[in-house]
Amino acid sequence: MSYADIILPVPLQGYFTYAVPEGATVQVGMRVLVSFGRSKKYVGLIARLHDTQPQGYAVKTIEQVLDATPVVTQQQLAHWQWMADYYLSPIGDVYKAALPAGLKAEDGYRPRTETYIRLTPQYRNATALHIALNVLSRARKQLQAFTEYLALSHWDQFDEDHGDPFNISEVTKEELLNASGASSDTLNQLVKRQFLECYEREVGRLNHGGPYRPELIQPLTAPQQQAYDVLLTTMATKHVTLLHGVTGSGKTEIYIHLIERALERHEQVLYLLPEIALTVQIMQRLQRIFGDRLGIYHSKYADAERVEIWQRQLSDRPYDIILGARSAVFLPFQRLGLVIIDEEHETSYKQQDPAPRYHARSAAIMLAHLAVGDWQLADGSKPKAKSQKPKAKVLLGTATPSLESYHNAKTGKYGLVELKERYKGMQLPEIQVVDTADLQHRKMMAGPFSPLLLTRIREALERGEQAILFQNRRGFAPMLECHQCGWVPRCQHCDVTLTYHRQLNQLTCHYCGATYSVPTVCPCCETTDLRTHGYGTEKIEQQLRECFPEARIARMDLDTTRTRNAYERIISDFSAHRTNILIGTQMVSKGLDFDRVSVVGIINADSMLNQPDFRAYEHAFMMMAQVSGRAGRKGRRGLVILQTKQKELPVISHVVHNDYPTLYRQLTAERQAFRYPPYTRLVYVFLRHRTDAIVHDASLLMASWLRQWFGSRVLGPDKPSVAKVRQEHIRKLVLKFEPGLDMPRVRQYLLLAQQQLAADKRFTAVTVFFDVDPE
């Protein structure tokens, strides 16, 4: 008897062993249907085959093999296992995150089919066709539909003596009904009388964009060519290389040349972007050059489309280029040669909930590291990637590197190539800082807008140019308050205030999604004087319409981009100048390229600078520098109006002068002194329970165990800034591990503490999870 170790979509550590039915043909990577527990059935995935019988329990047998060939490769399984180990996540959670839903259910994916029409066999010759036409002459509508079919299929031109039946065209039912004007009843009569018959054919859901006329790749400018040449030299010796290029320097053009080089070497390319909105512009550029060799993969695609992309990647005609957001790292690749991680600094690459809480940058680097050799390992064992030369190279691209990536580049772990000039010598935008504290004191602010910002927007509109306004908070107002007694509505399930959304006329919790009606009377003092405080993008939009009633204004945030088409419409309208002011959250800061944007307004820099996070200044610099880079990309020099009450902060000066090196030196000095990344590795331990006292006691117990093993590396437990989410109270432990520590041993201790807590009857309902390398 042979046995299979199977990954199940359950949040439990390890594999589950089942017996392989006698006579069944199975391979590693195939899906199987198994029973689990007393009554549940799951679709699992075979991770390993062996002949070692488990001891101590009755082994269940696989109920059904669902695939004829594997749907997951050995390389993917190795990648999943690394992700589970590194991020302290059950491999079942990795399985759930990796596979499209249609592949996780025995009948979850149904191929899309279309109904086609053809002649029944007895009428597929000239004599029989003449008989059919004579018979149908007494049924005018049926005759019209039948002759239209003959024309569409070219049967009316078929020469029985010299014709080739393979030249007959297939005709869909929809095509015939549209061309003939016949009703479905008329067509059904032709089928019933056995002149025609229907058949189903599987058709793909993927839109390949039809035929295209490939554009020539644009030659690189002298600075770009120099950077490209240095990149090729550097990437020859470094597995990972950082391309640090200022905004508007043309990094995408360099990517395109690298992609072309990879395709010439018959390699596949994975091109990662942090935000789905970005894929719209980049997709259009790449499709114009590479056509149907490009595939798109992200969560806004329907599940069935993602299944078809997955299956195509396993076929003998996979996409040569995959463009996608972070989930694209889970796709199968057969000959991966290049991974491009654009805007590598972006926090959107980090998955938060649910598990696995992976960072797509790290996961993509490991994916490239594993892309070596022949993956036909018969025993299903993990390959020893560290002992082999990596086949795929990784390029990190950004104008504002993460401190960790820049540190790795400066210390020699990564290669470093810099591109300091904008395309065609364009200047970086001028950044003017506006002291809103002084303007508010003098009552000169028009709501959230300084007089300078309004003037510059008006001038841009008069010149036929565009403006972008950045406010990193969605909704109308972050808070509603009773002016009489100070009462503020809060979420019943979370420890947060509710955000007012005027368009929906409701209060919303941005943590659990709960919605509430807007009160008209304060429940504490019964006054009706309820006022909004603060500005979200919705309120910015309203007040901007009052200032510029003639302007065509669009808003891009989570509320306006819930569908794939919404992203495309907003970006397309702004690119085509159908709108001339774009208001947005951090979505508008991420690599979008608009040729007429001359003014960018940062409404409130303080909301980013005042976050209780050791990365606050780093993230604030990145967002402000990136959104500033949207201005003046083509034509005249752009202008950025940066509004803040803290203009004396060094980080504001760094943004104004685009001085990343000084920011890096100052922040790394602080982090080295206080033992933060890149000088330590962080692991957050979160505990959750519906009763605060229970989670409090559980966190103290876990902290005591961890201190026995790790000593002063353990901080806490403490309440996080949001200490209750979805009715669960939260405690947090912070662990700081210095370089050189035995991390596999550290992970063993962390999982042991988790298991020990689960074994304590007082804490069986306490949820414990880890966040490795938190953002």
Side-chain angles (χ1 to χ4, degrees):
M1 170 109 23
S2 60
Y3 299 89
D5 291 342
I6 294 174
I7 303 171
L8 294 181
V10 293
L12 300 173
Q13 297 289 342
Y15 302 139
F16 300 87
T17 303
Y18 288 80
V20 176
E22 187 174 349
T25 301
V26 294
Q27 295 180 52
V28 170
M30 284 184 174
R31 295 172 305 148
V32 292
L33 182 66
V34 297
S35 62
F36 186 76
R38 294 183 179 179
S39 59
K40 292 184 178 179
K41 293 185 186 294
Y42 288 115
V43 172
L45 192 82
I46 299 176
R48 182 171 173 264
L49 294 168
H50 57 89
D51 57 6
T52 304
Q53 181 177 356
Q55 302 297 317
Y57 63 92
V59 181
K60 294 182 178 181
T61 301
I62 292 172
E63 295 190 4
Q64 186 181 352
V65 179
L66 300 178
D67 300 306
T69 57
V71 297
V72 173
T73 67
Q74 294 274 5
Q75 178 182 340
Q76 286 176 284
L77 287 172
H79 191 227
W80 291 10
Q81 189 60 61
W82 170 84
M83 192 174 287
D85 293 342
Y86 186 85
Y87 292 104
L88 296 163
S89 174
I91 197 165
D93 283 341
V94 180
Y95 164 58
K96 286 195 291 185
L99 277 187
L103 292 178
K104 288 180 288 192
E106 56 191 300
D107 58 353
Y109 168 71
R110 298 183 185 277
R112 181 178 178 180
T113 61
E114 192 163 6
T115 303
Y116 281 75
I117 302 297
R118 64 189 172 199
L119 289 171
T120 51
Q122 64 267 32
Y123 288 107
R124 294 175 192 169
N125 61 76
T127 303
L129 277 177
H130 284 298
I131 295 172
L133 291 170
N134 286 331
V135 172
L136 289 171
S137 63
R138 293 183 292 272
R140 183 178 57 83
K141 291 183 180 179
Q142 293 178 37
L143 177 63
Q144 183 180 348
F146 189 73
T147 53
E148 187 64 43
Y149 166 77
L150 296 180
L152 291 171
S153 62
H154 306 305
W155 270 107
D156 60 347
Q157 304 171 17
F158 182 64
D159 183 340
E160 195 165 359
D161 295 326
H162 304 97
D164 181 355
F166 292 104
N167 289 332
I168 300 301
S169 299
E170 292 188 296
V171 179
T172 67
K173 179 180 178 180
E174 182 181 14
E175 185 181 5
L176 177 57
L177 292 175
N178 290 338
S180 66
S183 66
S184 295
D185 289 339
T186 300
L187 185 57
N188 290 339
Q189 285 298 318
L190 287 169
V191 173
K192 185 177 180 180
R193 297 176 68 180
Q194 297 186 354
F195 291 106
L196 299 175
E197 64 183 12
C198 298
Y199 64 100
E200 299 293 319
R201 166 157 291 190
E202 184 176 335
V203 293
R205 294 174 172 84
L206 303 178
N207 179 14
H208 301 294
Y212 76 102
R213 301 169 66 180
E215 292 184 1
L216 293 176
I217 295 178
Q218 296 296 316
L220 298 175
T221 63
Q224 290 171 347
Q225 186 65 51
Q226 183 180 3
Y228 177 78
D229 294 339
V230 176
L231 268 175
L232 293 183
T233 303
T234 306
M235 293 171 74
T237 57
K238 294 290 186 180
H239 174 46
V240 183
T241 301
L242 173 64
L243 175 59
H244 181 198
V246 297
T247 57
S249 58
K251 293 185 289 295
T252 305
E253 295 302 324
I254 294 177
Y255 300 158
I256 289 171
H257 280 255
L258 288 170
I259 292 170
E260 181 190 37
R261 182 176 182 272
L263 298 189
E264 289 172 351
R265 293 154 59 98
H266 306 290
E267 297 173 343
Q268 288 176 294
V269 178
L270 172 60
Y271 189 144
L272 288 181
L273 293 166
E275 197 73 60
I276 294 169
L278 271 178
T279 63
V280 177
Q281 281 194 332
I282 301 297
M283 174 189 69
Q284 293 168 351
R285 293 184 68 182
L286 296 183
Q287 278 183 336
R288 288 196 296 268
I289 297 170
F290 300 109
D292 59 7
R293 303 178 77 176
L294 173 72
I296 317 295
Y297 191 86
H298 55 64
S299 59
K300 283 288 189 290
Y301 270 56
D303 184 72
E305 290 178 289
R306 283 185 281 158
V307 171
E308 290 189 3
I309 293 172
W310 186 287
Q311 292 177 334
R312 176 160 175 177
Q313 290 306 94
L314 292 168
S315 73
D316 59 357
R317 292 186 63 253
Y319 287 113
D320 292 321
I321 310 163
I322 288 291
L323 175 69
R326 62 173 179 252
S327 58
V329 299
F330 292 114
L331 279 172
F333 292 90
Q334 301 178 35
R335 40 189 169 80
L336 184 64
L338 175 65
V339 176
I340 297 170
I341 306 173
D342 198 14
E343 311 294 348
E344 67 83 26
H345 64 278
E346 277 291 345
T347 58
S348 304
Y349 280 125
K350 184 70 160 71
Q351 165 73 10
Q352 299 300 335
D353 282 310
R357 294 167 180 85
Y358 68 97
H359 199 300
R361 182 182 61 217
S362 301
I365 290 172
M366 180 53 64
L367 178 68
H369 195 72
L370 293 171
V372 292
D374 186 352
W375 284 88
Q376 303 305 313
L377 302 182
D379 63 354
S381 61
K382 290 190 292 182
K384 298 179 180 178
K386 289 185 178 179
S387 65
Q388 299 171 322
K389 185 178 179 181
K391 176 183 175 185
K393 298 293 184 178
V394 179
L395 178 62
L396 309 178
T398 179
T400 54
S402 66
L403 255 68
E404 287 85 347
S405 293
Y406 197 69
H407 179 76
N408 285 335
K410 297 296 283 185
T411 56
K413 183 177 180 180
Y414 296 170
L416 175 61
V417 178
E418 295 186 307
L419 183 57
K420 298 181 179 181
E421 286 188 34
R422 272 192 153 188
Y423 180 67
K424 292 187 176 179
M426 283 297 303
Q427 288 182 291
L428 287 168
E430 176 189 1
I431 301 178
Q432 297 183 6
V433 179
V434 174
D435 185 353
T436 53
D438 177 60
L439 291 176
Q440 285 180 346
H441 178 71
R442 293 191 283 160
K443 294 183 171 50
M444 294 179 64
M445 292 288 288
F449 309 121
S450 63
L452 179 63
L453 178 58
L454 292 177
T455 299
R456 295 296 179 256
I457 292 174
R458 184 172 292 107
E459 291 172 352
L461 296 179
E462 289 171 353
R463 293 191 300 265
E465 296 168 348
Q466 295 171 298
I468 290 177
L469 297 186
F470 172 62
Q471 172 73 343
N472 202 27
R473 187 186 292 274
R474 65 187 175 98
F476 187 85
M479 191 172 70
L480 188 70
E481 183 183 50
C482 173
H483 191 61
Q484 185 71 27
C485 70
W487 172 81
V488 174
R490 305 181 69 85
C491 180
Q492 297 173 5
H493 315 292
C494 308
D495 186 23
V496 292
T497 58
L498 298 171
T499 300
Y500 173 49
H501 289 254
R502 183 170 183 169
Q503 188 171 354
L504 300 173
N505 192 32
Q506 66 185 23
L507 297 171
T508 302
C509 174
H510 287 176
Y511 280 80
C512 70
T515 59
Y516 304 82
S517 58
V518 180
T520 55
V521 176
C522 173
C524 293
C525 67
E526 298 186 348
T527 185
T528 58
D529 190 5
L530 301 175
R531 304 183 184 182
T532 61
H533 287 275
Y535 293 89
T537 50
E538 195 180 356
K539 191 173 184 180
I540 298 291
E541 178 185 16
Q542 182 209 51
Q543 298 207 356
L544 203 63
R545 290 187 188 280
E546 294 172 359
C547 295
F548 302 101
E550 76 287 357
R552 302 181 302 278
I553 300 172
R555 173 165 52 93
M556 189 163 76
D557 55 27
L558 187 62
D559 297 324
T560 62
T561 56
R562 295 190 182 275
T563 66
R564 187 174 83 201
N565 292 337
Y567 280 105
E568 296 175 1
R569 187 191 69 253
I570 293 170
I571 292 171
S572 174
D573 286 350
F574 199 64
S575 296
H577 316 127
R578 287 187 288 270
T579 52
N580 45 27
I581 301 179
L582 179 63
I583 304 160
T585 56
Q586 59 182 336
M587 290 181 184
V588 301
S589 72
K590 300 180 181 180
L592 295 170
D593 188 6
F594 303 112
D595 58 2
R596 286 198 193 173
V597 174
S598 62
V599 175
V600 166
I602 299 173
I603 301 296
N604 182 10
D606 304 312
S607 63
M608 298 174 278
L609 296 168
N610 296 335
Q611 294 296 315
D613 183 354
F614 74 94
R615 285 195 173 95
Y617 283 7
E618 177 189 3
H619 289 166
F621 175 89
M622 289 172 176
M623 279 193 276
M624 287 189 282
Q626 287 286 340
V627 75
S628 298
R630 302 314 105 206
R633 297 176 73 89
K634 294 171 186 167
R636 59 183 291 157
R637 187 185 187 192
L639 174 67
V640 179
I641 307 299
L642 193 163
Q643 300 185 162
T644 178
K645 296 178 180 178
Q646 305 175 79
K647 66 175 185 178
E648 72 286 348
L649 287 178
V651 67
I652 299 296
S653 175
H654 300 331
V655 173
V656 170
H657 298 100
N658 194 39
D659 190 0
Y660 180 85
T662 302
L663 174 82
Y664 169 77
R665 288 193 296 270
Q666 291 180 353
L667 292 185
T668 50
E670 292 177 2
R671 294 191 188 181
Q672 189 169 23
F674 293 99
R675 297 176 58 240
Y676 278 101
Y679 300 98
T680 58
R681 175 171 293 169
L682 291 184
V683 178
Y684 291 167
V685 185
F686 290 96
L687 298 91
R688 292 186 174 190
H689 193 272
R690 295 178 73 88
T691 303
D692 187 65
I694 291 177
V695 76
H696 173 74
D697 292 344
S699 64
L700 290 175
L701 181 59
M702 176 165 269
S704 68
W705 291 336
L706 295 178
R707 284 197 174 90
Q708 292 176 17
W709 300 323
F710 305 130
S712 61
R713 300 181 184 92
V714 181
L715 301 177
D718 202 354
K719 290 183 178 182
S721 55
V722 178
K724 181 184 173 186
V725 175
R726 294 185 178 90
Q727 295 285 20
E728 290 190 314
H729 297 270
I730 306 171
R731 292 296 186 277
K732 173 183 173 183
L733 292 158
V734 176
L735 284 71
K736 298 180 180 181
F737 297 112
E738 65 273 17
L741 213 60
D742 184 355
M743 290 308 295
R745 189 72 177 271
V746 167
R747 295 184 189 104
Q748 288 180 1
Y749 281 127
L750 290 174
L751 293 174
L752 176 61
Q754 185 184 37
Q755 294 162 4
Q756 287 180 177
L757 195 72
D760 190 320
K761 293 183 179 179
R762 296 171 297 170
F763 307 123
T764 53
V766 173
T767 301
V768 178
F769 64 88
F770 306 98
D771 189 0
V772 179
D773 299 338
E775 278 288 335

